[in-house]
Amino acid sequence: MQTEIIPLGTGAAIPVSDRHLPAMALIHDGHVLLFDCGEGTQFQLLRAGIKSLRIEAIFITHLHGDHYFGLLGLISTFTLLGRSTPLTLVGPAGIQTIMCAMPGFDQAHLPFELTYKELHEGFTREVVVETEAYTVEARPIEHRIQAVGYRFQERSRPGRLDPDRARALGVADVKD
């Protein structure tokens, strides 16, 4: 399976004309994951040709604004587009409070299920998203405030070997 990592923004807290605020898309076998969501991420998704409605989960590394200020706009766009598929939002403790502080961003007003997975200070490592195709594990990382690193892992897929065909192609010592 092919996995693509697309940097959408690699800049710091202050926008500059040629580097956007932090965001990265990971595309694996049709699954789209978003890591951080700085301002302007929606424009960068458009420029990269990534359909935002295909995002299955969003992972926020830490609660500095340049890493999540694009979330409200993105979730609002999902609502306007009539998203119906569930979305998982993973981040440090406090991300749900931030999101729900805005009117209309609580579950009662969203047309899709939004599941929050908050990581509390002192966690060591935790699988935060698990599907048949992949897992994402969170681990604490060092920063001025609580911060999280994420590890994407494709699940093993059992292969099939046709021993007779392998032998016919010249592969030596194939066992049935």
Side-chain angles (χ1 to χ4, degrees):
M1 303 266 161
Q2 182 177 353
T3 300
E4 293 180 78
I5 297 173
I6 302 163
L8 301 169
T10 59
I14 299 172
V16 294
S17 63
D18 59 343
R19 290 181 62 196
H20 298 272
L21 297 179
M24 181 189 71
L26 184 146
I27 302 172
H28 174 77
D29 192 30
H31 301 278
V32 179
L33 307 177
L34 182 65
F35 294 85
D36 282 336
C37 188
E39 281 182 85
T41 296
Q42 290 189 76
F43 289 112
Q44 292 301 93
L45 287 165
L46 287 169
R47 289 179 68 188
I50 300 169
K51 292 180 175 26
S52 63
L53 286 177
R54 292 186 51 220
I55 296 171
E56 296 176 5
I58 302 172
F59 304 87
I60 302 300
T61 57
H62 62 288
L63 298 181
H64 281 158
D66 57 320
H67 290 260
Y68 73 88
F69 280 168
L71 268 177
L72 293 172
L74 184 60
I75 301 296
S76 179
T77 297
F78 290 162
T79 300
L80 293 170
L81 292 174
R83 181 186 181 111
S84 59
T85 57
L87 177 69
T88 300
L89 178 56
V90 182
I95 191 67
Q96 183 172 359
T97 301
I98 289 168
M99 294 300 294
C100 291
M102 287 294 292
F105 282 83
D106 59 346
Q107 190 60 65
H109 293 93
L110 295 174
F112 58 93
E113 181 184 345
L114 178 56
T115 302
Y116 292 94
K117 176 66 178 169
E118 292 191 316
L119 299 157
H120 295 275
E121 192 84 41
F123 87 99
T124 53
R125 79 189 321 180
E126 188 173 333
V127 173
V128 291
V129 173
E130 193 166 11
T131 73
E132 288 183 15
Y134 64 87
T135 61
V136 178
E137 180 181 89
R139 294 183 184 186
I141 58 174
E142 289 187 32
H143 195 46
R144 292 187 309 266
I145 62 172
Q146 181 193 3
V148 181
Y150 298 99
R151 180 178 185 265
F152 172 86
Q153 176 74 44
E154 177 183 8
R155 288 206 183 265
S156 296
R157 294 175 292 136
R160 291 175 291 183
L161 175 67
D162 181 343
D164 294 330
R165 183 148 192 263
R167 282 188 208 100
L169 292 170
V171 177
D173 298 327
V174 174
K175 307 228 187 287
D176 289 312

